[in-house]
Amino acid sequence: MPASPTPAPTPTVTPPAPLTTDRLLLRAVHRGDLAAVTRLWTDPEVRHHLGGPVTEPVIRIRQRRIVGAAGCHAVIRAEDDVLLGLVTVEPGARNGETEVSYQFLPEHWGKGYAREAVGAVVARVLEGTPSVVALTQEANHRSRRLLEAVGLEHAESFVEWDARQVLYRIRRG
């Protein structure tokens, strides 16, 4: 009698390894982070260059998927354990290149937290991949300055999602 086919292994989701900087802890998203993360998805200022606030049905789906998700870093201020934002890494997301994206709550803007977190994540990603890209709207001058500050360079501009976009890239070495 032929053997039963072996079931395919269930893929495991490996949350990102924790990463620390002088002021921050970057770790997997925990259930206790969901209120702050939901604010990121619904805050009109945060979502201004990201297509607007996310709708309730999409929020429920995202909440189920984000806890412990691979590539999604909760950015935590080390001194008081406050969630400041998210930095996400998506291998192969844009024409085979690893894409880094980020969003931070407005009350934490202008303090260097995003630059510190994104810079640390980009450095880590470059240890294992030849390049990293990031995309922002041309009109998002703060985000463009942040990307340039962490070493990414303007690679191309184009229209996508009905807006002028700018792709930034950094290569290892």
Side-chain angles (χ1 to χ4, degrees):
M1 188 150 136
S4 308
T6 305
T10 304
T12 57
V13 175
T14 305
L19 178 62
T20 58
T21 69
D22 289 341
R23 301 182 294 167
L24 307 172
L25 167 64
L26 287 80
R27 58 154 171 79
V29 175
H30 299 163
R31 288 206 183 284
D33 300 329
L34 288 178
V37 171
T38 300
R39 273 195 58 219
L40 284 168
W41 297 329
T42 57
D43 185 286
E45 278 188 279
V46 174
R47 302 294 304 172
H48 180 73
H49 295 288
L50 297 170
V54 177
T55 63
E56 187 62 37
V58 174
I59 289 168
R60 285 193 300 273
I61 292 167
R62 285 185 177 187
Q63 285 176 332
R64 286 192 301 270
R65 292 181 179 168
I66 196 167
V67 174
C72 189
H73 300 81
V75 180
I76 308 298
R77 188 170 47 210
E79 73 182 44
D80 58 7
D81 208 32
V82 168
L83 186 137
L84 309 175
L86 297 174
V87 178
T88 304
V89 178
E90 296 180 70
R94 188 155 289 271
N95 299 321
E97 288 184 281
T98 298
E99 183 173 357
V100 171
S101 59
Y102 48 90
Q103 48 191 316
F104 282 74
L105 292 166
E107 62 267 27
H108 306 299
W109 294 356
K111 298 173 182 160
Y113 294 127
R115 183 177 57 235
E116 190 173 327
V118 172
V121 170
V122 166
R124 176 179 273 176
V125 171
L126 282 173
E127 292 172 2
T129 189
S131 64
V132 173
V133 296
L135 183 69
T136 191
Q137 284 188 6
E138 187 175 275
N140 191 344
H141 300 290
R142 292 178 78 137
S143 185
R144 294 180 70 184
R145 284 192 304 270
L146 182 152
L147 292 170
E148 291 165 2
V150 300
L152 283 84
E153 296 178 350
H154 176 255
E156 62 182 287
S157 298
F158 51 89
V159 174
E160 189 172 78
W161 302 303
D162 297 323
R164 299 272 317 149
Q165 306 291 327
V166 183
L167 180 78
Y168 283 83
R169 178 179 287 118
I170 187 170
R171 295 189 192 281
R172 181 177 38 192

